[in-house]
Amino acid sequence: MGGVTYREVLTKSALNRVQGMPFDWSLNPWAGCAHACRYCYARAYNARYRERDVGAGFDRNVEVKVNFADVLRAELRRHRKGSVAIGTATDPYQPIEGKYRLTRRCLQALAEFPMPTSLITKGTMVVRDIDVLKQLDAKEDVTVYFSIPTLREDVWRKAEPGTPAPLQRIRALRMLREAGLDAGVLCAPVLPGLSDSEASLEAVARAASEAGATAFHHRPLKIDIEIRDYYFQFLATEFPVLVPGYAQLYTGGSHADRGYERELEERVARVRNRYEFRLRPPRQREPETEQLQLAM
Ligand code: SF4
C-alpha cells in the first residue's frame, strides 16, 4: 500500500443525528480510514456523500477535522439528549490519532458533558485513553467494542492491511477490562469462506471470553453496490477460488442469501453458548456536586 495523505479541514458540526440505530448520534473525527479494511462499508458512504473513489479515495486520503472536538464541546453545551457512538464511519484510533488526539479530546468533552457512549475500534491506541474513559464512565455508561472478525493471520493481513493484529486487539480489550471498563467484541463482518466457519468464530469467541469480554456479537458481510466491484476485485486477487461462491451468495443484492445468514446466526449462537460473556455489574455513580450540596 502507498502512503496516506492527510488533509486538515474545518467542520461545522460534530454530532451527527442517526435513525434506526441503537444510538442517537454518531461522531466521526476523520473522513476516510487508513486501516484500509477491504470490506469496509464506509467506503460506500465515502463514495455516496464525498464523491471519492471507494479505494484510495477512502484509505489513502484521510481528512482530519481539526476543530472537531471544539465544535463537539460547543454542541454538548447546548444539548445532550440521547446516546452517542464514536467511530461508525471511520476508526477513532487509526494511527493519525497519535498525532492529533481528536478522539481523546472528544472523550474529554464528553467527560465534561456526559452522554451514554459506545465506541468501536480496531485500534489498540484506545488503551492510552483509559484514564479519560474512566472519567466519563464514572458519570455515564461507556462501552468499547473491538471489531475482531477473525484471528486468522492470512485473512487479517489481506483483508485488514492497516490494522493492529487481532491478538493485539484482544490484549487491549483485556487491559480495558482490567481497568474496570465495559468492553466487548464485534465479530464483524463475518466474511463468507474466510471467517465464517464454526472453528474461526469459536477462536475469536474463546479469546474474547478469556480476555473478559462482556459481549460477543456478529454481523454478516454486507456488500453495498458502490463497493461490489472493489470487493470482488480484492477476492479475485487474493482468494480467486471464492469468487463464484460469492457471486451466488450475493446474487440478490448487498445482503447474503437469507438462508446463509440464518445458518450463520445459529452457528454464532452455538459458539456464544460455549463461552462466558459476563455483563458488567451496575456501577456506583459519583454523586453530582449539586446533589451533594442539596444533601448538606
Ligand atoms: S477500521 Fe473500520 S472504518 Fe476503518 S477501514 Fe476498517 S472497517 Fe472501515
Side-chain angles (χ1 to χ4, degrees), residues 226-294:
E226 292 91 340
I227 66 163
R228 194 177 172 95
D229 288 348
Y230 177 83
Y231 189 75
F232 271 78
Q233 188 54 53
F234 155 71
L235 283 180
T237 308
E238 303 292 356
F239 304 100
V241 70
L242 296 179
V243 172
Y246 267 78
Q248 204 175 0
L249 203 53
Y250 288 87
T251 193
S254 53
H255 290 275
D257 173 79
R258 286 188 65 178
Y260 168 85
E261 290 201 352
R262 238 189 334 263
E263 206 192 307
L264 176 63
E265 200 159 329
E266 288 166 9
R267 215 175 299 155
V268 172
R270 276 199 302 276
V271 165
R272 194 189 291 113
N273 285 339
R274 282 183 218 133
Y275 296 94
E276 192 170 36
F277 297 100
R278 217 178 300 162
L279 287 181
R280 190 176 64 161
R283 271 130 313 124
Q284 299 288 321
R285 296 262 175 236
E286 281 177 5
E288 293 282 340
T289 316
E290 273 179 14
Q291 286 170 347
L292 271 178
Q293 283 169 347
L294 279 175

Side-chain angles (χ1 to χ4, degrees), residues 39 122 146-160 163-170 185-191 194-197 199-205 207 216:
Y39 50 72
K122 290 186 175 85
F146 286 88
S147 164
I148 308 178
T150 181
L151 299 189
R152 265 183 64 178
E153 185 156 338
D154 59 331
V155 176
W156 158 60
R157 283 192 189 284
K158 289 174 176 170
E160 303 171 343
T163 60
L167 284 177
Q168 289 178 11
R169 295 175 225 169
I170 291 283
V185 163
L186 292 181
C187 186
V190 180
L191 306 177
L194 294 173
S195 59
D196 63 346
S197 69
S200 177
L201 297 165
E202 175 140 11
V204 182
F216 179 80

Side-chain angles (χ1 to χ4, degrees), residues 32-43 58-59 87-91 94 121-122 147 160 163 189:
C33 183
H35 279 167
C37 305
R38 302 306 184 208
Y39 50 72
C40 180
Y41 67 86
R43 292 181 184 276
F58 177 76
D59 60 43
T88 55
T90 185
D91 197 307
Q94 57 184 295
T121 188
K122 290 186 175 85
S147 164
E160 303 171 343
T163 60

Side-chain angles (χ1 to χ4, degrees), residues 17-136:
R17 195 83 167 106
V18 292
Q19 307 284 345
M21 301 298 277
F23 43 84
D24 305 293
W25 306 92
S26 65
L27 287 177
N28 291 292
W30 330 91
C33 183
H35 279 167
C37 305
R38 302 306 184 208
Y39 50 72
C40 180
Y41 67 86
R43 292 181 184 276
Y45 178 89
N46 200 56
R48 217 173 289 155
Y49 301 107
R50 292 175 65 217
E51 296 179 358
R52 296 287 186 85
D53 83 82
V54 296
F58 177 76
D59 60 43
R60 302 297 87 189
N61 288 281
V62 175
E63 282 178 8
V64 181
K65 303 173 192 173
V66 283
N67 61 337
F68 195 83
D70 298 329
V71 172
L72 173 63
R73 191 180 296 273
E75 289 176 348
L76 290 173
R77 258 187 237 283
R78 290 198 299 274
H79 63 92
R80 285 188 274 149
K81 289 208 176 89
S83 58
V84 65
I86 305 178
T88 55
T90 185
D91 197 307
Y93 289 105
Q94 57 184 295
I96 196 67
E97 166 66 13
K99 175 177 177 189
Y100 285 95
R101 298 177 160 236
L102 294 186
T103 300
R104 180 174 177 84
R105 287 166 55 210
C106 287
L107 290 172
Q108 286 168 333
L110 282 162
E112 201 177 325
F113 302 102
M115 291 170 78
T117 301
S118 57
L119 186 151
I120 176 161
T121 188
K122 290 186 175 85
T124 50
M125 206 190 307
V126 61
V127 303
R128 179 202 65 189
D129 291 345
I130 284 177
D131 58 341
V132 64
L133 284 164
K134 285 179 76 166
Q135 285 167 24
L136 171 56

